[in-house]
């Protein structure tokens, strides 16, 4: 009887581990452990103070955020595909990208900049947040050229995003 119990436990453990590996094999994205440099964190903090932004939380990765609405249901993971509305702004206030009107955008979260990958799992479907990202969690030293109506993004830009999650897949 004891051998049967041990055999069953081994079989259940193998089945569990196999199913976990199968799930991980379907998702090519991994959670990042990157943390912004202290100088960038300090710049975000100074911006928050100078602009009297309240209810701000500082994430250990080095960005700040405000949860405007937490949403309900499941929180996204780096492997989720999200339908969102959003606006991307320079700290100076100018808009460089975003959806308009009832338009939405659909993205695999793992394909987006690190700041989004780290911030969006903090809310759920229907939730919204504002995030304040340092360059290393946004586009870094890479300049994004102008395209269509977007003015482009200079290298090493600090950016603010306002995002609402419409759906999580």
């Amino acid at each position: 009887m004891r051998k049967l119990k041990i055999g069953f436990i081994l079989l259940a453990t193998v089945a569990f581990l196999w199913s976990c590996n199968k799930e991980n094999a379907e998702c090519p994205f991994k959670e990042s452990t990157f943390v912004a440099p202290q100088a960038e964190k300090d710049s975000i903090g100074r911006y928050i103070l100078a602009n009297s932004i309240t209810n701000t939380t500082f994430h250990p990765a080095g960005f700040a955020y405000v949860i405007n609405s937490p949403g309900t249901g499941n929180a996204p993971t780096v492997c989720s595909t999200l339908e969102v509305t959003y606006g991307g702004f320079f700290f100076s206030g100018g808009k460089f990208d975003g959806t308009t009107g009832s338009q939405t955008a659909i993205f695999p979260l793992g394909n987006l900049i690190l700041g989004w990958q780290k911030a969006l799992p903090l809310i759920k479907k229907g939730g919204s947040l504002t995030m304040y990202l340092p360059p290393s969690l946004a586009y870094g030293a890479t300049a994004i050229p102008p395209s269509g109506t977007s003015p482009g993004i200079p290298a090493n830009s600090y950016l603010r995003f306002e995002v609402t999650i419409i759906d999580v897949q």
Side-chain angles (χ1 to χ4, degrees), residues 53-57 64-72 85-87 89 119-120 122-132 160-165:
I53 300 168
T54 58
N55 300 324
T56 306
T57 302
Y65 64 95
V66 176
I67 294 178
N68 304 312
S69 171
T72 59
T85 59
Y86 74 99
F89 305 87
L120 291 182
L122 300 171
I123 59 173
K124 300 172 182 172
K125 179 180 176 178
S128 67
L129 61 69
T130 303
M131 59 185 117
Y132 303 89
R160 175 175 55 93
F161 289 94
E162 297 173 2
V163 181
T164 299
I165 297 178

Side-chain angles (χ1 to χ4, degrees), residues 38-119:
Q38 189 62 47
E40 290 184 357
K41 293 180 190 180
D42 293 345
S43 290
I44 296 287
R46 286 191 298 274
Y47 177 82
I48 298 297
L49 284 173
N51 290 280
S52 302
I53 300 168
T54 58
N55 300 324
T56 306
T57 302
F58 290 87
H59 191 277
F63 65 93
Y65 64 95
V66 176
I67 294 178
N68 304 312
S69 171
T72 59
N74 294 328
T77 69
V78 73
C79 295
S80 299
T81 297
L82 304 178
E83 181 178 5
V84 301
T85 59
Y86 74 99
F89 305 87
F90 298 110
F91 273 18
S92 63
K95 186 173 183 177
F96 62 84
D97 193 18
T99 56
T100 57
S102 62
Q103 175 189 30
T104 62
I106 298 174
F107 303 111
L109 184 55
N111 280 345
L112 301 177
I113 58 177
L114 283 178
W116 280 48
Q117 290 179 29
K118 291 181 175 292

